[in-house]
Amino acid sequence: MPEALGRSPIHHIVSTLTESLKRLGVVSNPLDVERCAFTIHRAISSRSREFHTHDHVLELAQEIDPIGVIAALYHDLVYVQVDLGLPDSSAALLDPLLRREEKGWRILEGAETDPVTRDVLRVFGMKVDDVLTAFSGLNELASAFVAAKELAQMVTRDHRVALAACIEATIPFRDEVGVPLSKRLEAMGLPPSAVHHHVTLAVRLANSDVGNFAEEDSARFLDNTWKLLPETNPALHAPKTYTVVEYRTALLKMEKFLSSLSPQRVFHEWGGEPSAEVHERRCAAAARNISLAARYLRQKLYSIAVVEALCLETGGDMPLDFFMGGLPDPEKPPMRRVEQYLHLNGERVEVDPVLHALLEGGRDTATRFDTSPSPLAAYLHASVGEVCVTAGIEEAKAWWAGQSTAAKFLASQPKTVTTAIASAASHIADTRREPLLFLAERLKGDSSRSP
């Protein structure tokens, strides 16, 4: 066959793992390598994954050092909050090491008695009976367990320790990575040269893993950020059935996270890796991207707040699909959607053109769980402006925290847009037509502020 023809992800994983082991000087049985590659492939093929997929793993596996390549292949193998448990392909291996409990996953005695997994525990600074969650290193520890055990008969102890160090460093959004990791490796008796090599490689991989935060194109950063939503919100896996409240919950979690994220907790430096100039440039790009993404999320969150309040005031929560009119399907006739009944009244307010272009024109790529453009958020952004939206979000958060009500939130928002959206939705949500029209008339009579 012509060499120009492409190959499937599983072929790339097998060939990448094979080549990396050869570069380490490992002479291995091809069927053993194949088995390891199949484990990786099966785990990251979960339909629940949008971002942590083959593409991400293979892109990251461009590391020059073969240990970094192997670590990249294995580092996302376990993702319990996305896959809703351990991967089937590794469950038998992990069962003696980790046990699921109400508050997380407990490290079992078997992880200490096995010398291979004991080394992994030392690298991670963890011990038997520690209870971990997906946000405190569980995924990375479990992935490192699998890598160390599967490769135990092929690579040296030093290779396994370096591999575990690289995977440990990919635990994201911490104040420090290099210094505590180097101290743990020193405590394990590794010589200074090995400590320096392993930690340098680990910091390099960790920074590459979150390299999307340093994107020059903020739209591409937003694209990848958006793919994380369904990975941490299983309800979004069913795009035609998730409700308004479920969608709002997903947006609110992401907005809270990004609004509080410091760029200095995204990228790290240690021992000259990377250079001060590169680190400063990455952090500056991360600050810009995080800011824009948080602002974008607030526009989306405000629009869903108005929708949620309208739903609750006219009968309760409903599938977002029913309120908005359905996700477009290229194989079917155009859908009737709520934005088709919305029109700006009067002049637009002054808005940030970059942010508005993302809302109106859409993100670069579509997702399976929502539309790329955000017509309702774009309508509100152009109608009332970002300052009003920001104030509205704070009022919505007070309501969601139980300090207010949906009715009070609606009454406090500009009546021209709330009544317009209620009227537009009456053309879509058939069973709510009369309550929505009644609510629109009631809102017109409120003495709420005007945009």
Side-chain angles (χ1 to χ4, degrees):
M1 296 292 288
E3 288 298 321
L5 292 179
R7 309 196 80 194
S8 71
I10 181 57
H11 287 99
H12 283 297
I13 292 172
V14 171
S15 62
T16 300
L17 184 57
T18 300
E19 179 60 26
S20 297
L21 289 170
K22 283 182 180 178
R23 290 170 60 198
L24 288 176
V26 173
V27 178
S28 54
N29 184 326
L31 293 182
D32 289 337
V33 179
E34 177 188 272
R35 174 178 49 79
C36 294
F38 288 175
T39 299
I40 298 168
H41 170 68
R42 184 173 176 182
I44 61 178
S45 296
S46 166
R47 286 179 56 83
S48 302
R49 298 194 182 203
E50 292 275 350
F51 178 78
H52 295 95
T53 61
H54 299 93
D55 288 345
H56 171 65
V57 165
L58 289 169
E59 181 180 356
L60 193 59
Q62 304 302 312
E63 285 280 340
I64 296 175
D65 191 292
I67 286 291
V69 174
I70 298 171
L73 292 176
Y74 273 99
H75 83 290
D76 279 340
L77 187 142
V78 177
Y79 234 79
V80 294
Q81 75 272 36
V82 178
D83 303 329
L84 304 182
L86 301 175
D88 293 340
S89 57
S90 303
L93 186 156
L94 291 169
D95 279 347
L97 311 176
L98 296 165
R99 182 178 66 228
R100 190 173 200 162
E101 297 184 352
E102 183 179 352
K103 295 184 178 180
W105 293 72
R106 185 178 298 278
I107 299 175
L108 302 178
E109 185 67 33
E112 178 68 30
T113 56
D114 184 328
V116 172
T117 52
R118 183 193 308 138
D119 277 341
V120 175
L121 283 181
R122 300 294 183 272
V123 171
F124 276 70
M126 296 174 182
K127 61 185 184 302
V128 172
D129 282 335
D130 283 351
V131 177
L132 306 176
T133 70
F135 306 103
S136 61
L138 168 64
N139 293 325
E140 293 78 10
L141 178 68
S143 297
F145 277 158
V146 175
K149 289 294 291 179
E150 288 206 329
L151 299 173
Q153 303 306 313
M154 302 185 208
V155 301
T156 66
R157 178 183 183 247
D158 186 64
H159 289 152
R160 294 198 308 270
V161 170
L163 186 60
C166 285
I167 296 176
E168 193 279 341
T170 65
I171 300 173
F173 312 125
R174 293 179 288 172
D175 291 328
E176 185 63 72
V177 170
V179 172
L181 179 58
S182 65
K183 289 181 178 179
R184 291 195 295 271
L185 296 185
E186 289 169 359
M188 293 175 68
L190 270 67
S193 59
V195 171
H196 185 270
H197 172 269
H198 297 352
V199 178
T200 298
L201 184 60
V203 170
R204 185 179 304 147
L205 181 67
N207 286 335
S208 296
D209 192 30
V210 292
N212 174 56
F213 278 84
E215 275 282 0
E216 290 300 318
D217 182 354
S218 294
R220 289 189 61 188
F221 168 73
L222 188 59
D223 257 359
N224 286 323
T225 300
W226 214 247
K227 292 175 184 177
L228 297 174
L229 279 175
E231 290 197 346
T232 53
N233 296 276
L236 302 190
H237 298 164
K240 295 182 179 179
T241 61
Y242 67 74
T243 70
V244 171
V245 172
E246 287 170 335
Y247 188 61
R248 183 264 295 170
T249 300
L251 295 183
L252 183 59
K253 284 197 299 186
M254 183 65 79
E255 189 271 337
K256 284 182 177 178
F257 166 68
L258 286 175
S259 294
S260 62
L261 180 61
S262 166
Q264 282 68 38
R265 301 186 79 232
V266 177
F267 292 109
H268 301 280
E269 57 180 340
W270 183 87
E273 173 61 42
S275 68
E277 180 184 358
V278 169
H279 182 64
E280 184 178 340
R281 185 171 67 246
R282 284 173 173 169
C283 287
R288 182 184 67 251
N289 287 328
I290 291 169
S291 174
L292 182 62
R295 289 169 59 212
Y296 174 87
L297 276 160
R298 282 192 280 273
Q299 308 306 308
K300 297 272 290 185
L301 195 54
Y302 181 65
S303 67
I304 204 66
V306 173
V307 170
E308 181 181 354
L310 291 173
C311 290
L312 296 183
E313 287 299 290
T314 58
D317 193 16
M318 66 170 71
L320 183 60
D321 200 57
F322 188 67
F323 187 97
M324 295 300 297
L327 294 174
D329 187 334
E331 298 181 0
K332 295 181 180 179
M335 292 277 189
R336 185 169 63 171
R337 288 182 54 82
V338 72
E339 63 265 20
Q340 295 162 359
Y341 299 89
L342 284 173
H343 306 283
L344 286 174
N345 295 320
E347 296 182 1
R348 290 176 177 234
V349 299
E350 186 174 348
V351 296
D352 175 357
V354 174
L355 178 58
H356 195 74
L358 287 171
L359 295 169
E360 191 170 49
R363 303 179 303 275
D364 283 352
T365 57
T367 56
R368 290 181 293 179
F369 66 93
D370 73 349
T371 60
S372 177
S374 305
L376 191 55
Y379 166 78
L380 286 165
H381 187 232
S383 298
V384 303
E386 192 168 357
V387 172
C388 181
V389 166
T390 302
I393 284 296
E394 293 308 309
E395 291 164 345
K397 287 180 178 179
W399 153 38
W400 295 325
Q403 299 165 6
S404 183
T405 65
K408 289 180 180 178
F409 168 75
L410 273 180
S412 70
Q413 302 313 302
K415 60 185 177 182
T416 54
V417 293
T418 55
T419 56
I421 294 171
S423 297
S426 72
H427 296 278
I428 306 298
D430 300 332
T431 53
R432 302 283 179 96
R433 179 174 174 78
E434 293 304 322
L436 282 165
L437 290 175
F438 177 81
L439 179 58
E441 288 301 315
R442 193 185 80 197
L443 290 171
K444 284 179 184 179
D446 287 346
S447 57
S448 57
R449 67 178 187 265
S450 296

